[in-house]
Amino acid sequence: MNQTQTPDLPPQYDPAGFEAQVRALWDRGSYFHADPAARGEPYTIVIPPPNVTGALHMGHGLDNTLQDILIRWRRMQGRNTLWMPGTDHAGIATQTVVEKRILAEEGKTRHQVGREALVRRIWQWKDQYEARITGQLKSMGCSCDWQRQRFTLDDLCARAVRHTFFRLFRDGLIYRGKRLVNWDPATETTLADDEVEYETVHSHFWHIRYPLSDGSGHVIVATTRPETMLGDTAVAVNPQDPRYQALIGRTVRLPLMDRDIPIIGDDYVDRQTGTGCLKVTPAHDFNDWAIGQRHQLPAINVLEPNGTINADGGKYAGLDRFEARKRIVADLEALGLVEKIEDYTHEVGHSYRSHVPIEPYLSDQWYVSVKDEKHNLAQAASEAVSSGRVRFHPDRYAQTYLSWLENLRDWPISRQLWWGHRIPIWYAPAEVTDEQMQKAFGGRSDVACRRDTESGTWYVCPCEGELSGDELGNGVTLQQDPDVLDTWFSSALWPHSTLGWPEATDELKRYYPTSTLVTAREIITLWVSRMVMMGLYNVGDVPFTDVFIHAVILDGKGQRMSKSKGNGIDPVDIIAAYGADAMRFTLAQMTTESQDIRMPVEKDDQGRLTSSRFDIGRNFCNKFWNAARFAFLNLAEFSNEPLDRSHLLLEDRWILSRLTGTVAEATAALEGFRFHDCIETVYNFFWSDFCDWYLEITKPRMREAATRAVPQKILAYALDRLLRLLHPFVPHITETLWQHLNALVPDRSLDAEAPAPAAAACTVAPWPEPVAAFRDADAETDFALVQATIRAIRNIRARMGIAPRTPLAAAIKAAPDAVARLLAAADTISHLAVLDSVAAAVDTAKPPASATEVVEGVEVYVPLAGVIDLETERERLRKRIAEQEKFRDGSQKKLSNENFVARAKPEVVQAERDRLDKINAELAALLANLKDLE
C-alpha cells in the first residue's frame, strides 16, 4: 500500500498561484534546451520573430499557443525538439515608432538627432520591448529554448546577412537600378510590392483639356492624380483609334507648366477607357514608365522624398502633394481647362506600416533578381511547393504562394532608413581604373567588385568586416551606401541564420531543415516565399516541410484587432484575468480551418479589454481541477498489486477502450494540424466519458475496500493519460496535477504495459499510444445501450417534472441479447438513474399509467402511480393542451391569410412559421405525456 499523502489542493484552481511555480520547475529541469547530440528524430520550429515595436497582441497569443502545442507534443513523443525563440528588428516599424516618440517628447526629427544617436536610442527601445516580449511568451507557457534566443540584428544573424549579400552580389543577383518603386512619403523609404496594402478610396476623376500647341484645338485627358501632370512628358493615344490618328506626332502645351509635349501612339492605351487620351508621367506611374521606356521619354520627378512638390513642379514647389492637387485643380478651373469632374471609387495602394498612400517614385535602389536564368530563385521556390517538399495546411494557401511567385518582380532590398543591416557596398568614383581596383582588391576572394555599366561607378562588397575607405589610396575615399536592407532580407534567413549558417554547426546539421512553420496568411508572400528562396539558395534545401496557416482574430464586428483601433486584447490581460491555460485552451478550441475567428471585445472592471470567449477555457480548467481533486481523494490507500483483468467490470473495459480510442483520434488530429478536433476529442472524453459516467459509476465501488482496487488503478491510469493528452494545450494545470499524482501514485502502469515509475515532469512524459489490448468493441456497444437506457429514464424525469433524487422503478422490454446486457448492468442503471428496481424481459408489458421512452430498439417504462398525483397531472396537461391548440389555431389562421404572407416582411413570416413549429412540437409532447397517464 502506498501511504504517501499529497498536499491538499485548494478547492479552486488559482492560475496565479501555480503558473510561476510550474515555470520554475521547468527551468530547473532545463527541459526545453535542445542538444544536437541527443537521441531522437529532430523536430524544429523557429518562432516567427515578433517585432520589437511593442508588446504582443492576441494574434501572437494564438500563433505561439499553436507552436507550443506542436513542440510539446513532439517532445513528449521522444523527438529531439528545438523551438528557436527570437525577435525581429523590424526596420521601418521600429524606427518610425521611436522617431514619433522623440518628436512628441523632444520636438526633434531624426536628422536633428543624428544617425548614431538615433540608432542608440532604438537599441534602448529594442532592449526594453524584447524583454517585455520574452516575459509575455514565458507567461503564456511557451517552451522555447531560451538559451538560444536570437535577434535579427545580433552578431550571428548579421554574419549570415553579410555572407548572403556577398554571395548574391558575387553571383550577379544583386544589382543597382534606377526604377520606379513604391515609395512611402511618411517613412521616406521604398516598399516591396507585398508591403503595399490596397484600400478603397472615394475620390474624383478630373477631365482636363490639354491645348494643342498650334492653338487648333485640344485633347482631353482624365486622371485621379492631377498633381502628377507637372511631370507629364507625353500624351498617348492608341494608334488604331481613328479619333486621334492624325494627332500622332503633334504636340500639346502642358497646362500650368507651359512646355510642349508630344502626342504618341502606343498600343497600351485602351480606346474604351476614359477619353482615349492618356497623360504619360513616366516618373510617377508604373505603366507610364513602361511607355516612356518604349518611346525614350524623359522622366521628370516632381516629388521630394517626403511627398512635397520639388523644384521641377514650378510654382507649386514646397506644397504637400494633396494640397498641390487642390491648388492645381483650382488653377485649371480658373483657366477654363477642367472639362468635368466625376466621382470615382478605386483601390489605392497604402504603406503597410505608415498607412499613407504610396507614390510610384523614380529612385536608385538595390534589387535582388528573382528570375535570373542561372539562379531562378522564384522558380526554385515554386517547385518546392508544387513538388510537395513544402506542404501548406490548409492546402488552399499553396495557390496564394504559387500565384505570387508566378507574377513576382525583382525584389527592392534597399531602404532609406538608419535602423537595420547597413548595405555592405562601398562606392568608388568612375575615375578609378581597373588597375587601381586590381591592385587594391585583386586576389581577395572575400571581396567582390563590379562596375556600373552606365555611370562607371565601382561597387565594392566585402564578405565580412568593414572597409576603411582608403584602400585605393591616392586621395580616393570609398563611401559606404547609407541605406539599410529591407527587414525581410534578414528575416528570410531566419531558419538557417539562427542555427549558425554559414558555419556547418552541429545545430545546422541536426535541426535544418526545420519541421513546421506556424504563421498567418498575410505574410505568405512577405516572408514564407522568401525563406524558401533563401533556404534553397544558401543551404540547398527547403527551410521547413510544413506550413500551417492559422486564422486571423477579429473583434465581434469583424474588424481586425489592433491597439490603434482600440479593440486589441493584450494576452497579459487575459492571463491576469483567466490564467494562461484558459487562454490557450480557448484559442486552440477556436482554431478550425476557417479564415477568421470572431472574438467579441468587452471591458472588465479595471478597464482592460477582454472577451467572454475565454470563459470556456476557465470553466474547463476549473472542471478539470475539481475532477482531479475528486480522483486524488479516491486514490488514498492505493494498491500497487498487478491488475487482474478478470476483475474488470463493463464500465472498466468501456473506459479503457474509449481512452485508447481517444488517444488514437487526438494523435491523428495533431498529425493533421487539426487543433480544434484534438482538443474537442480529449475534452469530450474527459467531460462526458470520464467525469459524467466513469467517476459517477465507480463511486459505490470506491467506498468499499473490497471493491476499490480495480477502479482505483483505472482511475489513476486514465487520469495519467488525460494529463499527458491535455498537457500541450494546458501545460500549467496539467504539470501541477502531475506532480500531485506522482506523490500519490508513482507507478500508474497497468498489466498491458511494462511497470515503470512516472516521469518527473509531465512536460517530458511520453505521449500516450493506443493500447491494442484495451480495444473492446463489445464493451463500447454494451455500454452505449446502458447509457441510452439511463438517458431515457432521465428524460422521463425531466418531462414529468420528477425530482432527480426521487426513486423510481423501471420495466424494460427488449430483445434477448439486450435483456442479458441490461440485466448484467442492472446495478449501474439503478445507481445512475436512481431506481429502486429495474426489470428487463423479452415480453415485458407496459404497466398502467407509465411513461415511455424508446431507445436503441428498447422500450423503457417508468410507472408513475404513487410518484405523482395522476389526476392532478392529467388536468394540468389537458389545460396546457387546450392553450397550445388555441395558439396553434391562431398561428395557422395567420399563415393562411394570403395578405399577411404577401405583405409582411419575409423575416416576420418566417418567424411565425417557426413559432407554429414550436407550438406543434410542444403540443405533441403534451399529448404523449397525457397518453402515458391514461
Side-chain angles (χ1 to χ4, degrees):
M1 296 290 185
N2 175 33
Q3 301 293 333
T4 304
Q5 294 296 312
T6 183
D8 290 336
L9 291 175
Q12 288 190 329
Y13 177 59
D14 175 21
F18 290 102
E19 289 177 356
Q21 297 176 32
V22 166
R23 290 195 292 272
L25 181 149
W26 293 333
D27 288 343
R28 290 194 299 272
S30 293
Y31 296 125
F32 310 145
H33 181 56
D35 180 3
R39 293 178 299 176
E41 181 184 352
Y43 183 83
T44 313
I45 295 177
V46 290
I47 195 171
N51 295 343
V52 291
T53 47
L56 302 182
H57 52 67
M58 192 50 65
H60 295 108
L62 172 63
D63 190 76
N64 288 286
T65 291
L66 299 181
Q67 291 176 77
D68 195 48
I69 289 170
L70 292 173
I71 206 76
R72 286 181 182 273
W73 166 53
R74 293 299 193 184
R75 186 182 295 119
M76 295 174 76
Q77 284 189 320
R79 303 283 286 271
N80 185 333
T81 57
L82 167 62
W83 185 11
M84 180 74 74
T87 50
D88 196 305
H89 68 279
I92 296 176
T94 308
Q95 179 168 324
T96 298
V97 73
V98 175
E99 279 191 54
K100 285 182 177 178
R101 188 179 207 185
I102 293 173
L103 185 62
E105 295 180 356
E106 303 173 27
K108 294 181 179 179
T109 66
R110 66 165 163 169
H111 300 287
Q112 291 170 314
V113 172
R115 183 166 191 150
E116 289 187 10
L118 179 66
V119 170
R120 186 167 58 250
R121 299 276 283 272
I122 300 175
W123 272 104
Q124 293 170 355
W125 176 279
K126 169 264 177 186
D127 291 342
Q128 175 187 349
Y129 277 93
E130 182 178 65
R132 184 172 176 184
I133 289 168
T134 300
Q136 287 179 294
L137 291 171
K138 289 182 176 180
S139 70
M140 289 167 54
C142 293
S143 58
C144 301
D145 185 346
W146 295 109
Q147 298 177 46
R148 299 182 187 275
Q149 190 164 4
R150 302 255 60 92
F151 177 55
T152 52
L153 274 179
D154 67 21
D155 291 342
L156 191 73
C157 293
R159 187 162 188 262
V161 166
R162 289 293 298 271
H163 275 256
T164 301
F165 190 99
F166 175 79
R167 296 178 75 245
L168 289 167
F169 182 83
R170 180 196 62 196
D171 290 346
L173 298 181
I174 284 181
Y175 65 91
R176 188 163 177 81
K178 194 177 193 67
R179 296 186 177 182
L180 277 193
V181 296
N182 303 302
W183 187 263
D184 180 349
T187 58
E188 297 187 33
T189 188
T190 187
L191 299 173
D193 290 343
D194 41 14
E195 294 174 315
V196 178
E197 297 176 341
Y198 285 87
E199 299 178 13
T200 301
V201 173
H202 302 287
S203 182
H204 299 93
F205 228 153
W206 285 272
H207 294 251
I208 305 169
R209 296 172 185 163
Y210 279 27
L212 293 169
S213 299
D214 61 7
S216 62
H218 64 265
V219 297
I220 299 174
V221 301
T223 181
T224 59
R225 299 158 66 215
E227 67 279 7
T228 62
M229 67 178 292
L230 304 177
D232 284 359
T233 55
V235 171
V237 298
N238 192 298
Q240 306 305 317
D241 192 334
R243 294 174 296 175
Y244 305 116
Q245 285 177 328
L247 295 179
I248 296 174
R250 297 176 64 180
T251 63
V252 296
R253 192 71 172 169
L254 181 62
L256 307 179
M257 299 304 291
D258 294 328
R259 67 171 182 266
D260 292 333
I261 58 176
I263 299 174
I264 60 175
D266 194 282
D267 291 333
Y268 170 78
V269 181
D270 184 353
R271 288 183 283 176
Q272 308 304 318
T273 300
T275 65
C277 294
L278 179 73
K279 60 184 286 298
V280 182
T281 321
H284 294 290
D285 184 275
F286 289 102
N287 295 316
D288 292 5
W289 170 261
I291 294 173
Q293 293 292 294
R294 289 193 290 271
H295 296 271
Q296 293 82 49
L297 298 175
I300 302 174
N301 180 8
V302 298
L303 289 176
E304 295 285 1
N306 65 359
T308 59
I309 305 299
N310 66 19
D312 285 326
K315 66 179 182 178
Y316 305 100
L319 293 178
D320 175 77
R321 53 183 169 156
F322 298 118
E323 179 60 28
R325 176 181 298 178
K326 295 177 184 177
R327 297 273 190 94
I328 288 168
V329 170
D331 289 348
L332 289 170
E333 288 179 323
L335 293 170
L337 295 178
V338 176
E339 178 76 13
K340 63 178 178 178
I341 301 174
E342 296 177 317
D343 291 335
Y344 187 65
T345 300
H346 60 140
E347 297 294 302
V348 175
H350 285 65
S351 167
Y352 84 120
R353 285 302 180 193
S354 67
H355 308 294
V356 303
I358 60 101
E359 287 288 345
Y361 187 77
L362 188 60
S363 176
D364 289 307
Q365 302 291 338
W366 287 99
Y367 292 85
V368 171
S369 174
V370 296
K371 295 184 178 179
D372 181 76
E373 290 185 5
K374 185 178 180 181
H375 300 281
N376 194 320
L377 303 179
Q379 181 179 334
S382 180
E383 290 174 351
V385 169
S386 58
S387 68
R389 293 170 68 192
V390 175
R391 298 176 295 272
F392 277 84
H393 312 270
D395 59 6
R396 64 177 179 271
Y397 289 112
Q399 192 55 50
T400 302
Y401 172 97
L402 293 171
S403 296
W404 174 257
L405 288 173
E406 183 180 353
N407 301 297
L408 189 60
R409 297 191 298 180
D410 286 353
W411 176 15
I413 56 170
S414 48
R415 297 292 182 269
Q416 290 62 54
L417 302 168
W418 294 344
W419 172 244
H421 293 276
R422 192 164 176 180
I423 290 177
I425 291 287
W426 277 257
Y427 297 101
E431 293 75 20
V432 173
T433 64
D434 291 355
E435 291 73 18
Q436 287 177 287
M437 295 297 292
Q438 180 65 25
K439 182 179 179 181
F441 301 108
R444 289 187 60 177
S445 61
D446 64 333
V447 177
C449 302
R450 188 163 70 235
R451 193 168 201 164
D452 188 281
T453 56
E454 293 185 7
S455 68
T457 301
W458 286 94
Y459 306 134
V460 183
C461 178
C463 183
E464 292 190 77
E466 306 293 318
L467 296 182
S468 65
D470 58 1
E471 282 81 0
L472 292 172
N474 299 320
V476 177
T477 301
L478 296 171
Q479 299 288 339
Q480 186 177 0
D481 192 300
D483 293 346
V484 300
L485 287 168
D486 177 14
T487 292
W488 299 105
F489 190 95
S490 53
S491 299
L493 314 181
W494 187 249
H496 56 278
S497 67
T498 54
L499 295 172
W501 185 91
E503 301 303 324
T505 63
D506 292 339
E507 288 80 3
L508 187 68
K509 295 174 185 176
R510 184 69 159 144
Y511 299 117
Y512 190 93
T514 68
S515 306
T516 304
L517 176 72
V518 180
T519 190
R521 64 180 183 268
E522 63 262 25
I523 54 175
I524 291 174
T525 56
L526 281 165
W527 191 40
V528 179
S529 63
R530 288 168 179 164
M531 282 191 285
V532 178
M533 283 193 283
M534 291 297 101
L536 290 168
Y537 177 74
N538 278 340
V539 193
D541 205 348
V542 295
F544 30 70
T545 55
D546 292 276
V547 181
F548 178 73
I549 304 297
H550 58 70
V552 173
I553 296 183
L554 308 176
D555 67 12
K557 297 178 181 178
Q559 297 294 314
R560 182 186 291 265
M561 285 190 177
S562 70
K563 289 188 176 180
S564 61
K565 293 180 181 177
N567 66 348
I569 298 177
D570 189 331
V572 171
D573 290 343
I574 298 302
I575 292 170
Y578 292 89
D581 287 350
M583 182 186 78
R584 293 167 60 108
F585 180 93
T586 303
L587 292 172
Q589 191 185 54
M590 294 165 65
T591 301
T592 63
E593 288 198 1
S594 64
Q595 290 195 140
D596 301 316
I597 295 173
R598 289 207 176 194
M599 183 177 288
V601 176
E602 309 101 28
K603 283 190 177 181
D604 63 14
D605 54 7
Q606 298 182 39
R608 299 174 301 194
L609 291 181
T610 184
S611 176
S612 58
R613 292 289 294 269
F614 294 104
D615 289 343
I616 298 170
R618 177 165 57 190
N619 293 343
F620 169 79
C621 289
N622 287 336
K623 175 79 172 181
F624 190 58
W625 183 262
N626 291 332
R629 288 182 71 245
F630 175 82
F632 292 157
L633 291 173
N634 285 280
L635 290 177
E637 303 298 322
F638 183 83
S639 172
N640 288 320
E641 297 176 7
L643 178 68
D644 186 343
R645 294 286 298 277
S646 66
H647 292 169
L648 296 181
L649 301 185
L650 173 62
E651 61 263 28
D652 303 323
R653 292 185 290 115
W654 169 76
I655 197 68
L656 289 174
S657 184
R658 288 288 300 122
L659 176 57
T660 205
T662 298
V663 169
E665 290 176 34
T667 304
L670 285 180
E671 292 281 2
F673 301 97
R674 292 181 285 110
F675 298 92
H676 168 85
D677 293 351
C678 180
I679 195 60
E680 279 293 292
T681 296
V682 181
Y683 174 89
N684 289 335
F685 172 81
F686 160 72
W687 200 282
S688 178
D689 297 344
F690 185 69
C691 292
D692 289 351
W693 292 99
Y694 192 73
L695 290 185
E696 291 298 322
I697 290 173
T698 56
K699 281 180 179 179
R701 296 167 67 191
M702 291 290 191
R703 287 193 285 264
E704 302 296 332
T707 57
R708 180 185 302 151
V710 170
Q712 271 191 328
K713 290 191 75 68
I714 293 176
L715 177 61
Y717 177 85
L719 182 58
D720 173 287
R721 269 52 185 178
L722 266 172
L723 289 170
R724 300 190 206 194
L725 289 170
L726 287 166
H727 180 75
F729 296 87
V730 285
H732 301 92
I733 191 171
T734 50
E735 189 68 78
T736 300
L737 295 173
W738 182 269
Q739 300 302 319
H740 284 269
L741 185 59
N742 274 0
L744 273 174
V745 187
D747 183 356
R748 277 96 69 180
S749 58
L750 296 181
D751 63 345
E753 302 174 305
C762 190
T763 197
V764 289
W767 180 256
E769 295 185 1
V771 181
F774 291 160
R775 285 286 195 182
D776 194 331
D778 291 340
E780 294 200 36
T781 300
D782 291 350
F783 198 77
L785 179 61
V786 172
Q787 288 176 302
T789 303
I790 293 168
R791 291 190 185 104
I793 297 168
R794 290 173 175 172
N795 287 343
I796 291 173
R797 280 184 185 276
R799 65 185 172 88
M800 288 299 176
I802 302 170
R805 303 310 302 173
T806 298
L808 301 174
I812 302 172
K813 180 180 180 179
D817 64 324
V819 168
R821 287 182 283 154
L822 291 170
L823 290 176
D827 288 345
T828 295
I829 295 172
S830 296
H831 168 54
L832 291 186
V834 191
L835 302 177
D836 279 339
S837 65
V838 59
V842 175
D843 55 357
T844 298
K846 179 181 178 181
S850 294
T852 305
E853 286 275 335
V854 179
V855 291
E856 305 284 337
V858 172
E859 296 180 30
V860 180
Y861 310 124
V862 174
L864 300 175
V867 178
I868 62 175
D869 186 323
L870 296 178
E871 189 53 43
T872 300
E873 181 63 15
R874 291 189 192 104
E875 184 60 29
R876 186 186 71 82
L877 290 172
R878 292 188 187 105
K879 288 182 179 179
R880 287 288 313 284
I881 290 168
E883 289 175 356
Q884 292 300 108
E885 288 176 336
K886 183 178 179 181
F887 294 148
R888 178 200 61 194
D889 294 344
S891 182
Q892 288 177 338
K893 183 178 180 180
K894 196 172 188 178
L895 289 169
S896 64
N897 185 330
E898 294 182 1
N899 286 334
F900 169 73
V901 174
R903 296 179 180 178
K905 292 182 178 179
E907 57 267 28
V908 173
V909 176
Q910 186 58 48
E912 189 61 34
R913 287 174 177 150
D914 293 342
R915 177 172 173 266
L916 179 59
D917 290 342
K918 184 178 180 182
I919 291 169
N920 284 329
E922 291 183 10
L923 187 56
L926 291 168
L927 290 168
N929 284 354
L930 182 60
K931 183 179 179 181
D932 284 338
L933 300 182
E934 292 178 341

